[in-house]
Amino acid sequence: MIIRRKKYLDKIISKKENGLIKVITGIRRCGKSFLLFELYHEYLISQGVTDDCIIEVALDEEINARYRNPMELGKYIREVTADRDKYFYVFIDEIQMVYDIQNPYLDIKEATIGFVDVLLGLMKLKNVDLYVTGSNSKMLSTDILTQFKDRGDEIKVNPLSYKEFYDAYGEDKRGCWKEYFTYGGMPFVMSKKTHEEKSSYLKGLFKKTYITDVIERNNIKNDADILEDLLNILSSSVGSLTNPKKLSNTFQSVKNIKIHSATISKYIDYFVEAYILSKAVRYDVKGKKYLDSPLKYYYTDVGLRNARLNFRQIEENHIMENIIYNELLIREFDVDVGVVEYYYKNAEGKKVHSQLEIDFVANNGSNRYYIQSALTVGDEEKRLQEVNSLNRVTDSFKKIVVVKDDIVPWHDEKGILYIGIEQFLLDENAINL
C-alpha cells in the first residue's frame, strides 16, 4: 500500500533547490524515509532527473556504518558528486546517527567534528541540493540552529493524520474511526491484518527502536525499567495535568521506587526529544501568561500509547483529546492548554477563586481558536458544563466544541460551534463554519 503523503511531498517540492539544507524530522517509522527515498525520488525522476544524480545514504543500515563517521560521510558525498557538469540531489537518512569525533588536525580535546560541520561544508557545493532526515529534536536544538545560521529548513513529518488514514482505509469506512483510535497512524500498521499483528508491531517499536534509541543516545546505564514504567504511567494519564514531582510520588507510592523529580523531568525530555511525546503547557487566557506547572503530555501516536497499556485502557474521551491535539499540530498550530481564572461568592458569601480549563488554545499567526473535546453534549447540563470555560472568555476568537457523535454542525446562542470529530478531522475548513 502506497500512501502519497501529499501535504509533506508538496512542502519538500516547494523547497527544492532553495540553497538551504532541508531537514526532515519526526518520530522514527513515521514515514520520513519513504517520503524522501520513494515519493520525492519518484517526483524527481518524473521531472527528468536521472537516477545517478540522486545520492542516497541510509545511516541506520549496517552497510553504511562507516559513514556515521563525519569525515567519512563528507568524503563520500564529495566523491560521488565530483562531476561539476551534473546537479545532484543528496539524501542522508537518520543524520543524528553521525557521531562527533575528535578533530584529527587539532590536539585539543574540545575540538570535535560532527554532522553540522559536514552539512555546512556540503551545502557550499554549487551542484548539490541537500536533504537529511532525523528522529531527534536535539539535532535542531538552539546550539545547532545557531551553527546553521538560518541555513536549515525544517519539514516536520507526523504519523498519518486521520484524513490520510481515512483516504487509504478502503471503500467501507464504517470501522475507520475505531481502527484509528485503537491502533493509531504509524504507516506500517495499515499493512497488518489482525489485532495480534498490529499489537506486536507497535510493542516492538517501543522495545526494539524507541527505548533502545533513548537509552543509547543518552547513555542511560541502569534505568531501562524506570523508563518503561514512566511511559506506562504517562500513558494511563494522557491528557491529565501532571508534573515531575507528582510522577516521582507515584513511583514512591505505587512502585516503592525513590526517583528524584529532576530525573523524571530529564527522562520525559528524552521522550519529547525523540518525538514520542509532546507537552502542552497551560496558558492563562485572561492574564495572558504561561503557567509553569502542572502541564499535559500527549503521545505523538495514540496507537503507541494504547500498545504501552496492552490495549486495556481504551478510554475514547482521552484518546479523542490526544487525536485532536495531534491534528492541531499537523495543521501547524501552536497549542496550549487554556486556563480561565475567575472569582465567585459561595453560599456563605465568601469570595472564592476558581480555575476552569479549555482543552486547547490553538494559535496560528493572528488566528486563534478555543477548542473543547467532549464525547457528547446531548444532555443540556453536560453541554453547559463543557462550555462554562468558553463562555467566560470575552474576546472574539472562534470557540468550538468537538464531539464524538456524527452531527450536523450548529451554533448555540453565544456563537459556539458544535461539530463531530470526523468532520473536524477530515475537513480543515470546518472549524470556520
Side-chain angles (χ1 to χ4, degrees):
M1 176 187 297
I2 296 178
I3 302 173
R4 305 308 302 183
R5 311 306 302 269
K6 184 178 185 304
K7 178 186 181 78
Y8 303 109
L9 180 59
D10 288 347
K11 281 189 177 184
I12 296 178
I13 293 170
S14 72
K15 300 173 186 295
K16 178 173 173 281
E17 299 174 23
N18 66 357
L20 302 175
I21 304 166
K22 273 65 72 176
V23 186
I24 303 165
T25 64
I27 189 172
R28 292 190 74 179
R29 304 295 183 264
C30 74
K32 301 185 305 297
S33 303
F34 185 81
L35 173 67
L36 192 59
F37 284 51
E38 300 293 335
L39 299 181
Y40 189 53
H41 185 124
E42 178 186 271
Y43 167 79
L44 291 176
I45 295 296
S46 75
Q47 299 300 300
V49 178
T50 56
D51 259 325
D52 64 306
C53 288
I54 303 174
I55 310 303
E56 301 175 339
V57 182
L59 291 170
D60 58 347
E61 295 179 2
E62 74 281 358
I63 194 172
N64 293 319
R66 68 181 296 177
Y67 303 128
R68 297 173 193 170
N69 178 318
M71 299 289 285
E72 291 291 334
L73 177 63
K75 178 182 176 183
Y76 170 71
I77 298 300
R78 291 174 188 277
E79 287 175 351
V80 295
T81 62
D83 188 344
R84 295 297 180 261
D85 292 328
K86 293 183 177 181
Y87 194 86
F88 295 91
Y89 299 85
V90 175
F91 304 165
I92 306 175
D93 197 23
E94 303 292 3
I95 190 67
Q96 81 281 350
M97 297 187 76
V98 174
Y99 288 83
D100 289 351
I101 65 169
Q102 178 71 38
N103 188 324
Y105 306 107
L106 293 174
D107 190 19
I108 303 172
K109 184 178 180 181
E110 293 76 16
T112 60
I113 295 176
F115 73 80
V116 173
D117 304 283
V118 173
L119 297 180
L120 292 179
L122 293 176
M123 73 172 295
K124 294 178 181 177
L125 300 177
K126 302 297 184 183
N127 65 329
V128 168
D129 195 21
L130 189 57
Y131 302 77
V132 301
T133 79
S135 304
N136 178 9
S137 66
K138 279 185 177 179
M139 64 176 291
L140 288 172
S141 68
T142 301
D143 290 342
I144 290 175
L145 285 176
T146 299
Q147 294 177 69
F148 271 166
K149 296 177 181 176
D150 298 323
R151 287 171 282 190
D153 200 346
E154 183 186 11
I155 301 162
K156 175 73 181 294
V157 177
N158 300 278
L160 299 176
S161 68
Y162 183 64
K163 175 73 164 62
E164 290 177 308
F165 187 91
Y166 184 91
D167 289 344
Y169 188 70
E171 293 184 6
D172 186 354
K173 307 294 187 183
R174 285 175 295 180
C176 190
W177 169 247
K178 183 177 180 180
E179 189 82 6
Y180 188 76
F181 82 68
T182 303
Y183 301 110
M186 298 303 284
F188 198 59
V189 169
M190 295 201 76
S191 67
K192 305 296 183 181
K193 301 301 182 184
T194 66
H195 169 78
E196 289 73 19
E197 290 176 342
K198 294 172 184 179
S199 173
S200 176
Y201 173 70
L202 291 169
K203 291 176 183 177
L205 280 181
F206 265 112
K207 283 287 187 183
K208 301 173 184 177
T209 303
Y210 302 143
I211 297 292
T212 301
D213 275 358
V214 168
I215 289 173
E216 291 180 354
R217 185 178 298 141
N218 299 288
N219 197 27
I220 298 172
K221 299 296 184 183
N222 303 309
D223 282 356
D225 289 342
I226 289 177
L227 291 177
E228 299 262 8
D229 288 337
L230 179 57
L231 280 171
N232 291 340
I233 293 170
L234 290 171
S235 299
S236 293
S237 60
V238 68
S240 300
L241 291 170
T242 189
N243 57 38
K245 178 63 176 176
K246 184 177 179 180
L247 292 167
S248 176
N249 293 337
T250 300
F251 269 95
Q252 178 67 57
S253 61
V254 177
K255 297 287 184 179
N256 198 28
I257 296 174
K258 289 185 177 181
I259 179 167
H260 198 277
S261 60
T263 303
I264 295 285
S265 180
K266 179 175 65 176
Y267 287 170
I268 291 176
D269 285 343
Y270 293 159
F271 294 134
V272 173
E273 288 164 359
Y275 300 113
I276 298 167
L277 299 175
S278 296
K279 60 182 175 181
V281 299
R282 295 193 303 156
Y283 178 74
D284 180 351
V285 175
K286 291 186 175 180
K288 297 181 179 180
K289 61 184 179 181
Y290 283 98
L291 307 174
D292 291 336
S293 183
L295 65 163
K296 290 187 176 185
Y297 294 98
Y298 295 99
Y299 266 82
T300 298
D301 180 78
V302 294
L304 293 173
R305 177 265 179 195
N306 294 338
R308 286 303 313 169
L309 301 173
N310 288 318
F311 299 92
R312 291 191 305 267
Q313 298 178 30
I314 311 294
E315 310 99 332
E316 201 165 0
N317 56 335
H318 296 306
I319 297 173
M320 190 172 108
E321 183 180 326
N322 199 144
I323 289 172
I324 292 172
Y325 176 79
N326 289 343
E327 178 66 23
L328 292 170
L329 294 184
I330 290 170
R331 296 182 188 182
E332 300 183 352
F333 283 96
D334 296 314
V335 187
D336 303 312
V337 176
V339 176
V340 181
E341 297 188 330
Y342 73 102
Y343 293 87
Y344 67 96
K345 288 185 178 180
N346 62 17
E348 290 76 35
K350 185 177 180 181
K351 191 176 183 180
V352 178
H353 171 258
S354 183
Q355 288 184 339
L356 295 173
E357 182 179 294
I358 300 173
D359 287 331
F360 304 118
V361 180
N363 294 284
N364 188 330
S366 60
N367 295 318
R368 171 178 290 185
Y369 299 88
Y370 298 107
I371 300 173
Q372 204 78 334
S373 172
L375 280 182
T376 181
V377 291
D379 177 84
E380 182 64 8
E381 183 178 347
K382 172 65 174 173
R383 184 186 74 82
L384 292 175
Q385 178 185 337
E386 291 292 346
V387 300
N388 191 15
S389 58
L390 298 178
N391 285 332
R392 293 181 183 277
V393 178
T394 56
D395 63 41
S396 59
F397 291 111
K398 189 89 175 186
K399 301 174 182 68
I400 303 168
V401 178
V402 182
V403 299
K404 176 197 170 184
D405 304 320
D406 182 15
I407 63 171
V408 175
W410 62 281
H411 296 82
D412 67 16
E413 70 280 358
K414 294 190 177 180
I416 296 174
L417 170 66
Y418 298 79
I419 187 172
I421 181 65
E422 289 199 76
Q423 185 173 358
F424 175 84
L425 296 172
L426 294 173
D427 181 3
E428 289 194 24
N429 296 316
I431 60 175
N432 294 312
L433 292 172

